[in-house]
């Protein structure tokens, strides 16, 4: 027992010294991840809205869900058949923490909110001719700034735009890391790579690196697996920002229970982080592409999440997703499934459905943004605890997909 305690202390000290800014108070003792197969819609709805059930991924009719050992019985009583995927979430987190270091290159490690803000500021200074940095489009619940980064070499007022937002779910660290990778790629390659130069001469990229800065900060200091924002609540804190957008809010696939991981909040866009991003998006004209970056499962999701009816642009959007999938596969052989969001499971009030909605596009001229959700690596081996040595390959495989997405929508923008 003593040896175990010493070992835990040693690991703790190592984590602390290995990665400045990282610590953890939440311990996941007795938590496991199970894979449940042949889950019906009704069973899925029950699991996804039940407090204590944390769905990690979905493929066809099988889902991976994090639960306490005791909850296995609840699933059994629901009539769901599950097998073990990870028999200790705590161990999985500790293995991830051992890979956190401070001596690597920027994209070989993850970084704190403060470090990332500073990185963007420095990048904006270095590439000031093509970057406009907005330190704050608004403040989060706890008062953190939500910056925006504009990248373009075009000076006309009617430049078409791509809007990318990242880190809406706190624990999906690869989302923010890959967004940073894309920003850096565009900047380093302008003037050096013909395709990037041509693209930035005609289009403006807008990045919002932190949709959920409070949640992200919390994953660095308290709970590595936190998902929601940090609105206080008793007994449970946090709203799932990806159920809080003002599009078919509370029309299925979200929960009114604040203890659920998919709690949709008190009303549409009730959260400051949702309001800030919605207002900012709506203040621009000519947004033709909009991507909400998540992990994990390797998916390219197009509208809608709330209804199984095809969107009016289904043919173009499915062709777009399929081609992106091919281009991603060509880089490192990773397969990303291209499908309608609801093909995965129903959701409402999500950011990417909102990007495509009338409400989002009211001031967008004749255009309608092609809203996508991209779920990055992996397919479940590490899940949200993706080791930092996958940041660069994951970023690399996204570049041709982003280039194709942008070029194809410039050529063929969706119209209202
Ligand atoms: O559930 C979500 O918010 C997203 N998955 S995640 O594991 N990153 O939390 C997916 C939302 C996409 N929309 C639908 N599946 N309808
Ligand atoms: Zn997510």
């Amino acid at each position: 027992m003593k040896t175990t305690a010493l070992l835990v202390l040693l690991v703790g000290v190592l984590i602390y010294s290995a990665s400045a800014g990282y610590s953890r108070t939440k311990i996941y003792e007795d938590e496991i991840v199970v894979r449940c197969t042949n889950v019906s819609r009704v069973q899925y709805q029950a699991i996804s809205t039940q407090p204590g059930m944390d769905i990690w991924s979905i493929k066809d009719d099988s889902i991976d869900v994090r639960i306490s050992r005791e909850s296995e019985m609840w699933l059994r009583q629901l009539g769901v058949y599950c097998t073990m995927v990870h028999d200790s979430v705590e161990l999985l987190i500790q293995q991830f923490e051992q890979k956190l270091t401070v001596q690597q290159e920027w994209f070989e490690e993850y970084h704190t909110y403060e470090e990332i803000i500073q990185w963007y500021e420095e990048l904006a200074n270095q590439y000031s001719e093509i970057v406009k940095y907005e330190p704050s489009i608004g403040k989060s619940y706890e008062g953190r700034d939500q910056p925006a980064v504009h990248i373009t070499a075009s000076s006309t007022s009617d430049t078409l735009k791509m809007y990318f937002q990242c880190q809406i779910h706190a624990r999906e660290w690869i989302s923010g890391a890959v967004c940073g990778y894309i920003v850096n790629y565009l900047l380093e390659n302008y003037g050096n790579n013909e395709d990037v130069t041509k693209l930035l001469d005609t289009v403006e990229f807008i990045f919002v690196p932190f949709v959920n800065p409070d949640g992200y900060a919390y994953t660095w200091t308290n709970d590595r697996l936190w998902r929601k924002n940090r609105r206080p609540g008793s007994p449970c804190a946090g709203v799932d920002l990806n159920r809080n957008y003002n599009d078919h809010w509370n029309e299925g696939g979200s929960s009114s229970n604040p203890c659920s991981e998919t709690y949709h909040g008190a009303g549409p866009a009730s959260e400051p982080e949702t309001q800030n991003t919605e207002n900012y998006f709506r203040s621009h004209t000519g947004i033709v592409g909009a991507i909400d970056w998540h992990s994990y499962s390797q998916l390219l999701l197009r509208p809608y999440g709330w209804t199984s009816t095809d969107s009016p642009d289904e043919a173009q959007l499915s062709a777009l997703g399929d081609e992106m999938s091919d281009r991603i596969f060509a880089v490192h052989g990773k397969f990303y499934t291209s499908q309608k969001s609801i093909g995965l499971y129903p959701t409402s009030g999500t950011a990417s459905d909102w990007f495509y909605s009338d409400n989002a596009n009211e001031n967008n001229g004749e255009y309608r943004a092609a809203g996508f959700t991209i779920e990055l690596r992996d397919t479940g081996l590490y899940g949200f605890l993706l080791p930092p040595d996958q940041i660069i390959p994951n970023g690399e495989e996204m570049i041709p997909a982003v280039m194709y997405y942008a070029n194809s929508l410039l050529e063929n923008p969706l119209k209202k």
Side-chain angles (χ1 to χ4, degrees):
M1 196 58 207
K2 256 188 186 157
T3 339
T4 324
L6 257 175
L7 207 72
V8 169
L9 191 74
L10 188 70
V11 170
V13 169
L14 280 177
I15 292 162
Y16 182 75
S17 55
S19 182
Y22 185 82
S23 58
R24 178 162 62 93
T25 54
K26 168 88 177 164
I27 305 296
Y28 281 85
E29 223 169 342
D30 290 325
E31 297 271 321
I32 57 175
V33 178
V34 291
R35 179 161 300 160
C36 310
T37 46
N38 294 315
V39 181
S40 71
R41 286 253 147 163
V42 176
Q43 287 166 331
Y44 172 78
Q45 182 67 19
I47 297 168
S48 69
T49 51
Q50 172 79 1
M53 296 279 142
D54 179 13
I55 293 179
W56 278 24
S57 88
I58 300 173
K59 223 105 250 164
D60 306 322
D61 56 1
S62 136
I63 67 172
D64 288 1
V65 44
R66 175 181 64 82
I67 53 169
S68 65
R69 269 180 217 285
E70 301 90 75
S71 308
E72 266 186 294
M73 187 55 99
W74 186 88
L75 286 169
R76 220 168 292 149
Q77 278 162 359
L78 192 68
V80 180
Y81 176 76
C82 312
T83 52
M84 191 75 81
V85 180
H86 297 294
D87 63 3
S88 169
V89 171
E90 179 58 30
L91 197 68
L92 197 66
I93 299 177
Q94 286 179 10
Q95 282 163 354
F96 173 82
E97 288 168 341
Q98 279 158 23
K99 292 172 196 146
L100 295 176
T101 52
V102 284
Q103 260 110 39
Q104 309 292 315
E105 295 294 313
W106 180 259
F107 290 116
E108 287 172 355
E109 53 182 292
Y110 293 109
H111 303 277
T112 63
Y113 167 79
E114 287 81 12
E115 286 167 351
I116 295 171
I117 296 285
Q118 198 189 340
W119 181 79
Y120 276 111
E121 283 170 357
E122 283 167 11
L123 214 58
N125 284 334
Q126 190 185 341
Y127 294 97
S128 55
E129 272 168 28
I130 54 170
V131 180
K132 193 181 93 204
Y133 181 72
E134 289 196 47
S136 187
I137 63 164
K139 284 189 188 293
S140 65
Y141 188 92
E142 291 178 346
R144 287 186 181 79
D145 286 319
Q146 295 183 272
V149 185
H150 294 245
I151 307 174
T152 188
S154 160
S155 50
T156 58
S157 59
D158 57 351
T159 308
L160 294 182
K161 300 171 180 70
M162 296 288 143
Y163 172 91
F164 289 179
Q165 66 173 38
C166 325
Q167 214 70 67
I168 186 171
H169 285 144
R171 62 192 175 186
E172 297 165 14
W173 286 10
I174 189 65
S175 151
V178 163
C179 282
Y181 186 93
I182 298 168
V183 167
N184 188 63
Y185 178 87
L186 293 173
L187 296 179
E188 275 190 345
N189 283 285
Y190 181 73
N192 298 316
N193 170 305
E194 206 183 314
D195 295 340
V196 173
T197 308
K198 232 166 85 187
L199 186 61
L200 289 181
D201 279 341
T202 42
V203 76
E204 177 175 351
F205 279 87
I206 306 170
F207 287 82
V208 174
F210 288 107
V211 179
N212 182 7
D214 300 346
Y216 185 68
Y218 193 70
T219 60
W220 275 81
T221 53
N222 290 69
D223 179 355
R224 176 62 186 84
L225 293 178
W226 189 259
R227 166 183 168 98
K228 303 185 279 182
N229 79 348
R230 288 298 301 161
R231 173 180 288 279
S234 181
C236 298
V239 169
D240 183 358
L241 298 176
N242 206 30
R243 299 294 181 277
N244 188 241
Y245 278 77
N246 185 15
D247 177 66
H248 297 271
W249 181 83
N250 187 16
E251 288 187 22
S254 68
S255 173
S256 51
N257 185 333
C259 290
S260 163
E261 293 292 350
T262 55
Y263 174 48
H264 49 223
S270 57
E271 301 313 290
E273 298 86 354
T274 315
Q275 289 164 19
N276 296 339
T277 50
E278 283 193 2
N279 292 341
Y280 197 62
F281 186 103
R282 282 167 55 92
S283 71
H284 294 91
T285 303
I287 301 180
V288 294
I291 300 179
D292 191 31
W293 293 86
H294 290 252
S295 74
Y296 63 100
S297 290
Q298 297 176 194
L299 303 166
L300 306 165
L301 303 173
R302 59 183 186 272
Y304 298 111
W306 61 275
T307 173
S308 52
T309 310
D310 279 355
S311 77
D313 299 295
E314 170 60 12
Q316 189 179 336
L317 293 175
S318 64
L320 182 57
D322 292 357
E323 184 62 36
M324 286 164 79
S325 171
D326 287 351
R327 291 182 186 227
I328 293 168
F329 188 81
V331 180
H332 293 300
K334 296 292 179 195
F335 183 72
Y336 283 60
T337 306
S338 158
Q339 64 181 135
K340 288 202 288 185
S341 292
I342 196 163
L344 197 60
Y345 51 94
T347 50
S348 58
T350 64
S352 67
D353 272 355
W354 181 79
F355 296 153
Y356 184 71
S357 72
D358 288 344
N359 180 274
N361 290 284
E362 209 174 28
N363 310 318
N364 201 19
E366 60 186 309
Y367 304 106
R368 182 181 293 282
F372 267 71
T373 295
I374 296 188
E375 300 272 4
L376 294 165
R377 288 190 184 188
D378 57 9
T379 55
L381 180 60
Y382 297 108
F384 302 120
L385 300 161
L386 193 74
D389 64 4
Q390 295 208 32
I391 298 171
I392 293 176
N394 203 168
E396 284 170 345
E397 69 201 8
M398 282 308 120
I399 296 301
V402 164
M403 295 295 289
Y404 180 78
Y405 179 80
N407 282 316
S408 143
L409 288 166
L410 280 182
E411 204 171 302
N412 236 330
L414 307 186
K415 301 270 176 73
K416 284 174 183 163

